Amino acid sequence: MADSTFDIVSKVDPMEVDNALNQAHKEVAQRYDFKNVGASIEMSGEKVLMKANSEERVKAILEVFESKLIKRGISLRSLDAGDPFASGKEYRIEASMKAGIDQENAKKINKIIRDEGPKGVKSQIQGDELRVSSKSRDDLQATMSLLKGKDLDVALQFVNFR
């Protein structure tokens, strides 16, 4: 019998991010506390740019965006938001969406699977994702449960379960 496998990836649906951004933009445009303060949120290239006239207001815009991401089912671990910085008379926050598992986190996940996972489970790094294989599907499901219980720096999805 062939080995069963699944892939561990960290991907974000760009359409869901775009929808969350549009919802946040509408809320910022309509809310009373953001009127006449130069508050805005927009996509500039690959980054999301938030602007306002004070540090507290720009943090509030980030909170609005985070709440919209959560409602759309996107983990906040995928959001890489910087600290507010002054730019002339306004404050800005630049944020980007993380995609893929970097080498450091991939090695950490690999080590968790080796040390704490069921005995017959093997994992290997393939670019920005991991392939996990085993003869037993139950062992693979136990591995998924193990990884879901860990507090990792990346949002994980399990795909291609065969």
Side-chain angles (χ1 to χ4, degrees):
M1 191 171 127
D3 282 4
S4 298
T5 64
F6 71 89
D7 294 333
I8 303 172
V9 297
S10 180
K11 292 193 170 114
V12 176
D13 184 3
M15 289 307 297
E16 290 295 333
V17 173
D18 194 41
N19 289 339
L21 182 72
N22 288 334
Q23 288 176 342
H25 180 74
K26 281 182 185 174
E27 185 170 328
V28 166
Q30 291 175 346
R31 267 180 46 179
Y32 179 75
D33 57 338
F34 291 134
K35 294 274 189 221
N36 301 323
V37 295
S40 69
I41 179 170
E42 65 215 18
M43 198 76 158
S44 65
E46 290 293 309
K47 296 198 179 289
V48 177
L49 184 63
M50 292 157 261
K51 298 186 240 179
N53 68 352
S54 73
E55 191 172 337
E56 292 78 28
R57 289 217 171 92
V58 80
K59 285 181 180 176
I61 294 171
L62 178 62
E63 287 177 16
V64 168
F65 184 51
E66 287 174 345
S67 73
K68 300 302 179 189
L69 287 174
I70 291 169
K71 284 183 182 173
R72 290 242 158 236
I74 299 172
S75 172
L76 292 183
R77 290 180 180 157
S78 300
L79 180 68
D80 186 19
D83 292 327
F85 62 93
S87 174
K89 291 183 179 179
E90 64 186 9
Y91 284 84
R92 296 179 176 206
I93 294 179
E94 285 186 352
S96 60
M97 301 306 291
K98 292 189 272 190
I101 303 172
D102 62 341
Q103 286 296 317
E104 180 183 325
N105 283 315
K107 288 177 182 173
K108 196 183 300 182
I109 293 167
N110 225 347
K111 184 170 176 27
I112 289 171
I113 292 171
R114 236 180 327 160
D115 295 348
E116 302 174 34
K119 285 290 177 227
V121 177
K122 297 181 200 68
S123 64
Q124 61 192 40
I125 300 171
Q126 296 180 334
D128 62 350
E129 56 185 50
L130 274 88
R131 165 86 29 104
V132 181
S133 60
S134 173
K135 296 222 181 289
S136 166
R137 287 177 158 243
D138 292 340
D139 287 349
L140 291 180
Q141 289 177 336
T143 304
M144 283 184 197
S145 299
L146 171 73
L147 291 174
K148 284 179 185 173
K150 294 292 176 186
D151 187 29
L152 299 166
D153 297 339
V154 291
L156 299 178
Q157 292 91 32
F158 306 105
V159 295
N160 298 336
F161 189 79
R162 297 191 184 107

